[in-house]
Amino acid sequence: MVFLGGEWMIRIVTLTGASGSGKSTIIKGVLSGIPRLVELVRSTTTRLKRPSDLDGEYEYISRPKFDAWEKNGVFLWTVEMVGVGDEKYGTLKTLVDFILNNPKGKIGLMLLKPEAVLTLKSYTEAKLGQQASTKIDSIFINSPPTGILRERMLKRGDSEKSVERRLEECKDWDHIAHTSRTPAGERTINHFIDNHEGRENLAVAHVILRILELRRHV
Protein backbone atom coordinates (compact mmCIF):
# COMPACT_ATOMS: atom_id res chain seq x y z
CA MET A 1 0.00 0.00 0.00
CA VAL A 2 1.43 3.36 -0.98
CA PHE A 3 0.90 6.93 0.23
CA LEU A 4 0.24 8.97 -2.92
CA GLY A 5 -0.79 12.51 -3.71
CA GLY A 6 -1.44 13.53 -0.12
CA GLU A 7 -4.06 10.80 0.31
CA TRP A 8 -4.25 8.17 3.03
CA MET A 9 -5.36 4.82 1.60
CA ILE A 10 -5.91 3.46 5.12
CA ARG A 11 -8.85 5.41 6.53
CA ILE A 12 -9.61 3.76 9.89
CA VAL A 13 -7.37 2.15 12.50
CA THR A 14 -9.12 0.08 15.14
CA LEU A 15 -7.67 -0.67 18.56
CA THR A 16 -8.98 -3.72 20.40
CA GLY A 17 -8.12 -5.32 23.72
CA ALA A 18 -9.90 -6.98 26.60
CA SER A 19 -10.64 -5.20 29.86
CA GLY A 20 -7.42 -4.22 31.64
CA SER A 21 -5.25 -4.34 28.51
CA GLY A 22 -4.67 -0.57 28.64
CA LYS A 23 -6.28 0.33 25.31
CA SER A 24 -7.79 3.60 26.60
CA THR A 25 -4.39 4.80 27.85
CA ILE A 26 -2.80 3.88 24.53
CA ILE A 27 -5.37 5.67 22.40
CA LYS A 28 -5.06 8.82 24.53
CA GLY A 29 -1.30 8.71 23.99
CA VAL A 30 -1.73 8.31 20.25
CA LEU A 31 -4.18 11.21 20.04
CA SER A 32 -1.84 13.51 21.93
CA GLY A 33 1.23 12.24 20.04
CA ILE A 34 0.04 12.75 16.45
CA PRO A 35 -3.07 14.98 16.68
CA ARG A 36 -2.69 16.28 13.11
CA LEU A 37 -2.95 12.79 11.66
CA VAL A 38 -5.65 11.04 13.71
CA GLU A 39 -9.01 11.67 15.34
CA LEU A 40 -11.52 9.60 17.28
CA VAL A 41 -14.50 8.27 15.38
CA ARG A 42 -17.43 9.51 17.45
CA SER A 43 -19.83 7.04 19.06
CA THR A 44 -23.43 7.75 19.99
CA THR A 45 -24.67 6.93 23.49
CA THR A 46 -27.68 7.35 25.72
CA ARG A 47 -25.62 7.84 28.88
CA LEU A 48 -24.63 11.16 30.40
CA LYS A 49 -21.21 12.68 29.81
CA ARG A 50 -18.46 11.61 32.20
CA PRO A 51 -15.41 13.68 33.23
CA SER A 52 -13.16 10.99 31.75
CA ASP A 53 -14.74 11.23 28.28
CA LEU A 54 -12.45 12.67 25.61
CA ASP A 55 -13.51 15.68 23.55
CA GLY A 56 -15.50 14.43 20.58
CA GLU A 57 -15.58 10.84 21.82
CA TYR A 58 -19.39 10.67 22.10
CA GLU A 59 -22.60 12.20 20.85
CA TYR A 60 -25.07 12.14 23.77
CA ILE A 61 -28.73 11.62 22.88
CA SER A 62 -31.90 10.48 24.64
CA ARG A 63 -32.94 6.82 24.77
CA PRO A 64 -36.12 7.42 22.69
CA LYS A 65 -34.08 9.15 19.99
CA PHE A 66 -31.49 6.37 20.01
CA ASP A 67 -34.19 3.70 19.73
CA ALA A 68 -35.79 5.55 16.82
CA TRP A 69 -32.46 5.82 14.99
CA GLU A 70 -31.77 2.15 15.65
CA LYS A 71 -35.16 1.17 14.25
CA ASN A 72 -34.40 3.16 11.11
CA GLY A 73 -31.12 1.30 10.59
CA VAL A 74 -28.76 4.25 10.86
CA PHE A 75 -26.24 2.44 13.08
CA LEU A 76 -23.58 0.07 11.85
CA TRP A 77 -23.84 -1.69 15.24
CA THR A 78 -25.34 -1.07 18.64
CA VAL A 79 -24.51 -2.38 22.11
CA GLU A 80 -26.66 -2.30 25.24
CA MET A 81 -24.80 -2.39 28.55
CA VAL A 82 -27.31 -4.50 30.45
CA GLY A 83 -27.00 -4.06 34.20
CA VAL A 84 -24.78 -1.00 33.84
CA GLY A 85 -27.53 1.59 33.64
CA ASP A 86 -28.90 -0.24 30.58
CA GLU A 87 -27.29 2.44 28.43
CA LYS A 88 -26.86 1.97 24.68
CA TYR A 89 -23.98 2.74 22.33
CA GLY A 90 -23.77 2.80 18.55
CA THR A 91 -21.73 3.94 15.56
CA LEU A 92 -23.43 5.78 12.70
CA LYS A 93 -23.06 4.34 9.19
CA THR A 94 -22.90 7.85 7.72
CA LEU A 95 -19.90 8.69 9.91
CA VAL A 96 -18.03 5.57 8.83
CA ASP A 97 -18.91 6.18 5.18
CA PHE A 98 -17.63 9.76 5.35
CA ILE A 99 -14.27 8.70 6.77
CA LEU A 100 -13.87 5.85 4.27
CA ASN A 101 -14.51 8.22 1.38
CA ASN A 102 -12.42 11.18 2.55
CA PRO A 103 -8.82 10.20 1.61
CA LYS A 104 -7.31 13.56 2.56
CA GLY A 105 -8.84 13.70 6.03
CA LYS A 106 -7.41 12.39 9.28
CA ILE A 107 -7.28 8.69 10.01
CA GLY A 108 -10.17 7.65 12.24
CA LEU A 109 -9.36 5.80 15.46
CA MET A 110 -11.90 3.39 16.92
CA LEU A 111 -11.90 1.40 20.18
CA LEU A 112 -13.80 -1.77 19.30
CA LYS A 113 -14.58 -5.29 20.42
CA PRO A 114 -13.31 -8.03 18.06
CA GLU A 115 -16.86 -8.71 16.86
CA ALA A 116 -17.29 -5.02 15.99
CA VAL A 117 -14.03 -5.05 13.99
CA LEU A 118 -15.43 -7.99 12.01
CA THR A 119 -18.70 -6.10 11.45
CA LEU A 120 -16.79 -3.01 10.28
CA LYS A 121 -14.61 -4.96 7.86
CA SER A 122 -17.54 -6.99 6.53
CA TYR A 123 -19.52 -3.77 5.99
CA THR A 124 -16.57 -2.23 4.15
CA GLU A 125 -16.10 -5.32 1.98
CA ALA A 126 -19.78 -5.22 1.00
CA LYS A 127 -19.50 -1.56 -0.02
CA LEU A 128 -16.03 -1.44 -1.56
CA GLY A 129 -15.25 -4.96 -2.71
CA GLN A 130 -11.53 -5.57 -3.26
CA GLN A 131 -10.66 -2.05 -2.09
CA ALA A 132 -11.85 -2.87 1.44
CA SER A 133 -8.51 -4.32 2.60
CA THR A 134 -6.81 -1.01 1.83
CA LYS A 135 -9.14 1.00 4.06
CA ILE A 136 -8.95 -0.50 7.58
CA ASP A 137 -6.06 -1.61 9.74
CA SER A 138 -6.78 -3.38 13.02
CA ILE A 139 -4.51 -3.62 16.07
CA PHE A 140 -5.06 -5.98 18.99
CA ILE A 141 -3.48 -5.55 22.43
CA ASN A 142 -2.62 -9.00 23.70
CA SER A 143 -3.96 -9.68 27.18
CA PRO A 144 -1.21 -9.73 29.84
CA PRO A 145 -0.72 -12.82 32.05
CA THR A 146 -3.78 -13.63 34.16
CA GLY A 147 -2.11 -12.61 37.43
CA ILE A 148 -1.18 -9.15 36.15
CA LEU A 149 -4.61 -8.67 34.60
CA ARG A 150 -6.38 -9.64 37.83
CA GLU A 151 -4.19 -7.23 39.81
CA ARG A 152 -4.94 -4.36 37.41
CA MET A 153 -8.69 -4.92 37.68
CA LEU A 154 -8.70 -5.21 41.47
CA LYS A 155 -6.53 -2.10 41.75
CA ARG A 156 -9.09 -0.06 39.80
CA GLY A 157 -11.92 -1.30 42.05
CA ASP A 158 -13.55 -4.16 40.13
CA SER A 159 -15.31 -6.76 42.28
CA GLU A 160 -14.03 -10.33 42.48
CA LYS A 161 -17.08 -11.56 40.54
CA SER A 162 -16.54 -8.94 37.84
CA VAL A 163 -12.85 -9.79 37.61
CA GLU A 164 -13.52 -13.50 37.05
CA ARG A 165 -16.12 -12.74 34.40
CA ARG A 166 -13.75 -10.38 32.60
CA LEU A 167 -10.88 -12.86 32.74
CA GLU A 168 -13.06 -15.37 30.88
CA GLU A 169 -13.96 -12.61 28.43
CA CYS A 170 -10.23 -12.00 27.82
CA LYS A 171 -9.79 -15.63 26.76
CA ASP A 172 -12.72 -15.33 24.35
CA TRP A 173 -11.44 -12.05 22.89
CA ASP A 174 -7.93 -13.41 22.41
CA HIS A 175 -9.32 -16.47 20.63
CA ILE A 176 -11.54 -14.41 18.32
CA ALA A 177 -8.72 -11.98 17.56
CA HIS A 178 -6.34 -14.75 16.49
CA THR A 179 -8.80 -16.86 14.47
CA SER A 180 -11.56 -14.62 13.05
CA ARG A 181 -11.74 -13.82 9.33
CA THR A 182 -14.03 -11.66 7.22
CA PRO A 183 -16.38 -13.10 4.55
CA ALA A 184 -13.67 -12.37 1.95
CA GLY A 185 -11.10 -14.34 3.96
CA GLU A 186 -9.09 -11.43 5.38
CA ARG A 187 -7.86 -11.71 8.95
CA THR A 188 -10.05 -9.60 11.22
CA ILE A 189 -6.99 -8.40 13.18
CA ASN A 190 -3.90 -7.35 11.22
CA HIS A 191 -1.44 -6.52 13.96
CA PHE A 192 -0.76 -7.59 17.56
CA ILE A 193 1.13 -5.74 20.30
CA ASP A 194 1.93 -6.24 23.99
CA ASN A 195 1.34 -3.68 26.73
CA HIS A 196 3.43 -4.80 29.68
CA GLU A 197 3.15 -3.24 33.13
CA GLY A 198 5.00 0.07 33.35
CA ARG A 199 5.77 0.14 29.61
CA GLU A 200 2.67 1.88 28.29
CA ASN A 201 4.82 4.49 26.50
CA LEU A 202 6.35 1.73 24.38
CA ALA A 203 2.89 0.49 23.41
CA VAL A 204 1.86 4.05 22.46
CA ALA A 205 5.02 4.45 20.39
CA HIS A 206 4.36 1.10 18.71
CA VAL A 207 0.88 2.16 17.59
CA ILE A 208 2.12 5.57 16.42
CA LEU A 209 4.88 3.94 14.36
CA ARG A 210 2.33 1.53 12.90
CA ILE A 211 0.14 4.44 11.81
CA LEU A 212 3.10 6.33 10.36
CA GLU A 213 4.11 3.20 8.48
CA LEU A 214 0.68 3.11 6.87
CA ARG A 215 1.54 6.34 5.08
CA ARG A 216 3.92 4.31 2.94
CA HIS A 217 2.73 0.73 2.75
CA VAL A 218 1.07 -2.18 4.49
Side-chain angles (χ1 to χ4, degrees):
M1 186 173 302
V2 183
F3 178 64
L4 297 172
E7 297 185 354
W8 291 83
M9 296 181 74
I10 283 288
R11 299 303 315 128
I12 294 174
V13 171
T14 70
L15 194 64
T16 302
S19 181
S21 63
K23 56 187 178 295
S24 296
T25 299
I26 291 173
I27 207 163
K28 288 177 183 177
V30 172
L31 287 167
S32 63
I34 47 175
R36 294 185 179 182
L37 303 183
V38 297
E39 63 182 348
L40 277 178
V41 177
R42 187 179 68 250
S43 295
T44 302
T45 182
T46 59
R47 71 163 171 78
L48 298 176
K49 186 174 183 179
R50 298 171 183 165
S52 59
D53 291 349
L54 299 174
D55 290 340
E57 185 175 5
Y58 293 106
E59 175 185 16
Y60 307 91
I61 65 174
S62 68
R63 179 62 180 260
K65 186 173 184 179
F66 189 105
D67 291 342
W69 285 7
E70 185 175 20
K71 184 177 180 180
N72 289 329
V74 303
F75 292 113
L76 182 53
W77 57 70
T78 60
V79 176
E80 184 169 10
M81 305 301 289
V82 178
V84 189
D86 296 333
E87 303 292 2
K88 301 185 79 169
Y89 297 79
T91 298
L92 294 170
K93 292 178 182 177
T94 53
L95 193 55
V96 171
D97 291 343
F98 176 79
I99 295 170
L100 290 175
N101 294 299
N102 185 22
K104 294 188 178 181
K106 293 182 179 181
I107 283 183
L109 293 180
M110 303 181 79
L111 280 173
L112 299 178
K113 293 184 176 182
E115 306 96 300
V117 179
L118 178 58
T119 299
L120 175 64
K121 287 195 168 184
S122 300
Y123 174 77
T124 307
E125 285 180 354
K127 292 185 70 70
L128 302 177
Q130 293 182 345
Q131 298 181 39
S133 62
T134 70
K135 297 293 186 179
I136 299 168
D137 191 66
S138 48
I139 300 171
F140 186 82
I141 307 167
N142 293 315
S143 297
T146 300
I148 293 176
L149 200 54
R150 178 181 282 108
E151 183 180 345
R152 284 184 184 178
M153 294 180 189
L154 291 174
K155 187 181 295 183
R156 72 186 189 186
D158 291 359
S159 67
E160 286 283 356
K161 184 177 180 180
S162 174
V163 167
E164 293 306 316
R165 178 176 58 81
R166 290 181 181 276
L167 287 175
E168 286 300 315
E169 179 185 78
C170 287
K171 295 178 184 178
D172 292 341
W173 282 33
D174 287 352
H175 176 73
I176 293 171
H178 284 87
T179 61
S180 177
R181 292 183 178 273
T182 70
E186 182 191 353
R187 289 180 63 92
T188 300
I189 303 295
N190 305 114
H191 198 61
F192 295 83
I193 67 171
D194 295 318
N195 182 27
H196 298 301
E197 191 72 23
R199 303 180 67 183
E200 289 83 1
N201 288 340
L202 288 178
V204 170
H206 196 133
V207 175
I208 289 176
L209 289 173
R210 175 68 177 173
I211 291 172
L212 292 176
E213 180 186 10
L214 294 172
R215 296 186 66 166
R216 299 188 298 276
H217 60 83
V218 169

